[in-house]
């Protein structure tokens, strides 16, 4: 089975040590949710821990969380989109290569028939 074909299951792709099958597009959404939850829990933990330090620390932490959390969420999204894009480019490259090989095979068969 070639890189561009998608008939294989997740487990087959997970244990494909030749890296001819990709799992990134299959798990990207789940990974994004997990990363968002993790980043949000860290922000919540920072806010809760700053409650013990007093009002000024809480307000400062709240401002920092309000500035940093969206940047972290956006960065995570961009990173995962980049990984998925690279995989999709690889899959499309395989499809293009296969089409070109099929076309070249067809042209060489036509030349053999003529000659």
């Amino acid at each position: 089975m070639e890189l561009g074909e998608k008939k294989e299951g997740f487990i087959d792709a997970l244990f494909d040590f030749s890296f001819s099958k990709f799992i990134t597009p299959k798990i990207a959404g789940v990974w994004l949710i997990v990363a968002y939850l993790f980043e949000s829990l860290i922000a919540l933990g920072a806010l809760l821990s700053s409650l013990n330090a007093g009002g000024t620390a809480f307000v400062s932490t709240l401002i920092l969380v309000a500035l940093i959390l969206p940047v972290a969420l956006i960065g995570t999204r961009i990173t995962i989109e980049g990984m998925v894009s690279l995989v999709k480019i690889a899959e499309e490259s395989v499809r293009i290569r296969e089409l070109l090989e099929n076309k070249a095979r067809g042209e060489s068969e036509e030349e053999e028939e003529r000659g």
Side-chain angles (χ1 to χ4, degrees):
M1 184 156 279
E2 287 294 322
L3 182 67
E5 297 181 21
K6 295 184 179 182
K7 293 182 182 177
E8 298 290 328
F10 176 77
I11 300 298
D12 293 329
L14 186 62
F15 292 104
D16 173 32
F17 296 107
S18 67
F19 291 96
S20 62
K21 301 170 200 92
F22 295 113
I23 63 168
T24 305
K26 296 173 184 161
I27 66 167
V30 174
W31 187 252
L32 185 64
I33 291 169
V34 169
Y36 279 2
L37 286 173
F38 183 71
E39 291 167 354
S40 299
L41 286 174
I42 289 174
L44 182 63
L47 285 172
L48 292 176
S49 66
S50 70
L51 282 174
N52 294 334
T56 306
F58 178 76
V59 171
S60 300
T61 304
L62 182 62
I63 292 169
L64 284 173
V65 164
L67 294 173
I68 294 172
L69 183 61
V71 172
L73 295 174
I74 291 168
T76 300
R77 174 67 190 218
I78 290 170
T79 301
I80 292 176
E81 281 182 5
M83 289 187 287
V84 170
S85 295
L86 286 173
V87 169
K88 289 185 181 218
I89 289 169
E91 290 174 341
E92 291 301 316
S93 297
V94 168
R95 286 190 192 106
I96 291 168
R97 185 193 74 218
E98 289 171 351
L99 287 172
L100 290 173
E101 287 173 351
N102 289 341
K103 184 178 179 184
R105 240 183 268 124
E107 290 175 356
S108 65
E109 288 174 0
E110 287 177 11
E111 289 177 7
E112 287 178 8
E113 290 175 2
R114 289 182 208 158

